Amino acid sequence: MSVFLSVYVCEGRDTGCVYINYSSGRLKILFVNTVLKCFLSFESLVSTMTFPGKVSVYYFNGKSMGEGVRLLLAYGGQEFEDRRIEFDEWAAFKPKTPFGGLPILEIDGKQLATVQAICRYLGKKYGLIGDNDEEAFEIDQNVDFLADIRIRAAMAFWDTDEEMKKKKMEEYAKVLPGLLDKLHAIIVKNNGHMAAGKLTWADFHFAGMVDYLKMIFHMPDLTDKYPAFKTIADKVYSIPKVKAWADKSVQTPW
């Protein structure tokens, strides 16, 4: 991942100390002669941003809810096994999951489940979180709003009863534009981000599912009607490590 580092000497009451800011936090060094030691140990600090042992992501052969997890790991420079479960494998694999669903992030044999919890966890690890409790709440709030929009559409889209599927989608189509308008306004207000006016884990979560949303909303022109959705996706996928991973990954329509 990219690690952002800045150093400045304190003035006023804190004269004689140095602050070192990095992507995941801040170190306050009380004595200037300790700064050299801090730099010597900074490499070990950065190394903690990757996981020891084997890392695997389990999801279906699509983007949807799994892609954000993959993108966050790519951002963090983490090597991982991209394990794609085919639909004919799912019945046998499902009992092996914690809660009967995907994605799963497996770290050295330990399974972590539910997409928003995984993305939030990786966001904390890579410094892609709010600066305070209010910003953290805003991120969670807007991600939950996105989930509310997505889940209702998904329930209709995956309904195996074609008549019920059509009825559900017709009903949802009456309110969906208003919900998407609100989500679009949120992103515009936040300078092309999901929350907090900056890049956070929520942007990766959203960017990874844009093609899936086009499918379940039956809106192939989704990003034309709501250009801020494309803005988020473009920002995330243009990050060098993310782009490098995406360019060589399996290409799927959703």
Side-chain angles (χ1 to χ4, degrees):
M1 66 168 293
S2 300
V3 178
F4 303 98
L5 175 67
S6 62
V7 180
Y8 64 90
V9 178
C10 309
E11 298 179 356
R13 289 184 301 173
D14 284 338
T15 299
C17 79
V18 169
Y19 280 121
I20 296 183
N21 293 328
Y22 59 99
S23 58
S24 298
R26 169 184 285 184
L27 299 176
K28 180 178 181 181
I29 311 301
L30 294 178
F31 301 100
V32 175
N33 64 6
T34 64
V35 175
L36 178 59
K37 292 181 180 179
C38 181
F39 274 110
L40 291 175
S41 64
F42 191 74
E43 184 176 352
S44 63
L45 175 67
V46 173
S47 70
T48 64
M49 295 179 185
T50 57
F51 294 100
K54 183 179 179 181
V55 176
S56 301
V57 176
Y58 293 85
Y59 193 65
F60 301 108
N61 188 24
K63 301 181 186 79
S64 187
M65 299 300 97
E67 193 75 351
V69 178
R70 299 170 183 141
L71 298 179
L72 281 163
L73 289 170
Y75 175 87
Q78 176 68 55
E79 294 186 3
F80 64 96
E81 177 191 20
D82 185 8
R83 178 71 169 85
R84 296 180 181 243
I85 308 299
E86 298 296 341
F87 288 130
D88 60 3
E89 299 179 85
W90 177 233
F93 189 81
K94 185 175 181 178
K96 302 175 184 178
T97 67
F99 308 124
L102 296 175
I104 291 172
L105 174 62
E106 187 173 271
I107 303 172
D108 206 17
K110 181 178 180 179
Q111 291 187 337
L112 308 181
T114 74
V115 62
Q116 287 164 215
I118 294 170
C119 288
R120 187 181 300 110
Y121 171 65
L122 294 176
K124 289 180 179 179
K125 185 172 183 65
Y126 299 142
L128 296 166
I129 55 175
D131 291 336
N132 50 53
D133 289 344
E134 288 71 26
E135 286 189 356
F137 174 83
E138 182 186 352
I139 295 168
D140 287 342
Q141 168 192 262
N142 294 349
V143 169
D144 285 350
F145 178 50
L146 171 62
D148 290 343
I149 298 172
R150 171 186 58 80
I151 289 170
R152 186 171 171 185
M155 289 177 65
F157 184 85
W158 295 107
D159 196 317
T160 56
D161 185 320
E162 289 300 323
E163 186 176 337
M164 285 300 299
K165 177 177 181 176
K166 182 180 178 181
K167 183 177 179 180
K168 288 177 181 179
M169 284 307 303
E170 286 175 350
E171 287 298 312
Y172 196 35
K174 297 175 183 177
V175 297
L176 180 59
L179 297 174
L180 294 178
D181 285 343
K182 289 181 180 180
L183 181 60
H184 189 265
I186 287 170
I187 296 169
V188 171
K189 180 182 177 182
N190 282 285
N191 304 315
H193 296 287
M194 276 290 287
K198 64 178 184 178
L199 187 71
T200 68
W201 63 266
D203 296 320
F204 292 77
H205 177 58
F206 181 83
M209 73 168 74
V210 168
D211 288 336
Y212 176 67
L213 295 178
K214 291 179 180 179
M215 181 179 75
I216 63 173
F217 293 161
H218 298 279
M219 294 178 64
D221 59 347
L222 178 67
T223 51
D224 294 328
K225 291 183 176 179
Y226 302 95
F229 295 178
K230 185 176 185 297
T231 298
I232 288 186
D234 288 347
K235 285 183 177 183
V236 170
Y237 279 99
S238 67
I239 297 169
K241 286 186 178 180
V242 175
K243 184 178 186 304
W245 179 85
D247 285 347
K248 66 182 182 182
S249 71
V250 178
Q251 302 300 309
T252 61
W254 57 272

